[in-house]
Amino acid sequence: DDDSEKARKKAKKAAKKEKEKQKRKGIKHEIKELNEKLGIDNDQRSPLMGESVAEFYARTTDFWNNEAARTVGQTAADRGEPLSAKELKREGFQLAKSRYEELKPILDRLNELEEMQREAEEEKKSKKERKKDRR
């Protein structure tokens, strides 16, 4: 009877451990998927965690102004109405703002997932330390 109780507890503990492992795998998978989906690995096209629109644009000004010149500026030039430097900067900012707003919810979710992952890792570490201390 005592052996069956030990076996039951061991099985329960193993199931709990497996569930936690699967949860961590799920978080890692979702993080990877979101990064791939939106090409967040390109820091010129993607805001950093906690970065405002203005900070994002300030850090990536050259990229967005070149994008504006390549797209909007070319279209205007084709019509015979080239854009001024100020207009190109304005268009560059609009492109950066649009990209920022597109990615903001995804970045917020990534931040949330990374926090969950960090907490899970800390909990796992503290459990190991408690187990080590008991010995």
Side-chain angles (χ1 to χ4, degrees), residues 5-130:
E5 181 66 22
K6 282 182 182 178
R8 188 186 65 74
K9 283 184 178 181
K10 190 174 183 178
K12 187 176 177 182
K13 187 176 180 179
K16 184 177 178 184
K17 200 172 191 177
E18 183 60 28
K19 185 177 178 182
E20 288 173 2
K21 186 178 177 182
Q22 290 302 319
K23 183 179 176 183
R24 284 192 305 274
K25 266 187 180 177
I27 290 171
K28 286 178 183 177
H29 178 72
E30 189 174 350
I31 288 171
K32 183 181 176 191
E33 211 172 62
L34 289 172
N35 281 326
E36 288 173 358
K37 181 180 173 186
L38 291 162
I40 291 179
D41 54 341
N42 179 347
D43 69 344
Q44 289 295 298
R45 293 195 67 235
S46 303
L48 302 173
M49 293 290 181
E51 195 171 42
S52 70
V53 179
E55 292 166 334
F56 172 52
Y57 178 69
R59 181 175 58 80
T60 59
T61 299
D62 291 341
F63 176 82
W64 293 110
N65 290 350
N66 288 336
E67 283 293 299
R70 192 174 58 77
T71 56
V72 181
Q74 189 60 48
T75 305
D78 291 346
R79 289 192 313 250
E81 307 165 358
L83 296 177
S84 69
K86 184 176 181 178
E87 290 169 320
L88 276 175
K89 283 182 181 179
R90 187 177 303 123
E91 289 299 325
F93 180 78
Q94 288 305 316
L95 289 172
K97 183 178 178 189
S98 173
R99 176 70 175 168
Y100 180 89
E101 289 170 351
E102 172 190 2
L103 292 181
K104 182 72 171 122
I106 285 85
L107 288 172
D108 289 345
R109 177 65 180 151
L110 276 172
N111 197 21
E112 189 179 300
L113 287 169
E114 287 173 0
E115 183 62 32
M116 288 168 62
Q117 186 176 11
R118 205 172 9 264
E119 287 172 2
E121 287 170 2
E122 286 173 9
E123 186 175 324
K124 185 178 177 183
K125 187 178 175 183
S126 71
K127 279 183 181 180
K128 276 186 177 179
E129 288 173 0
R130 285 194 307 262

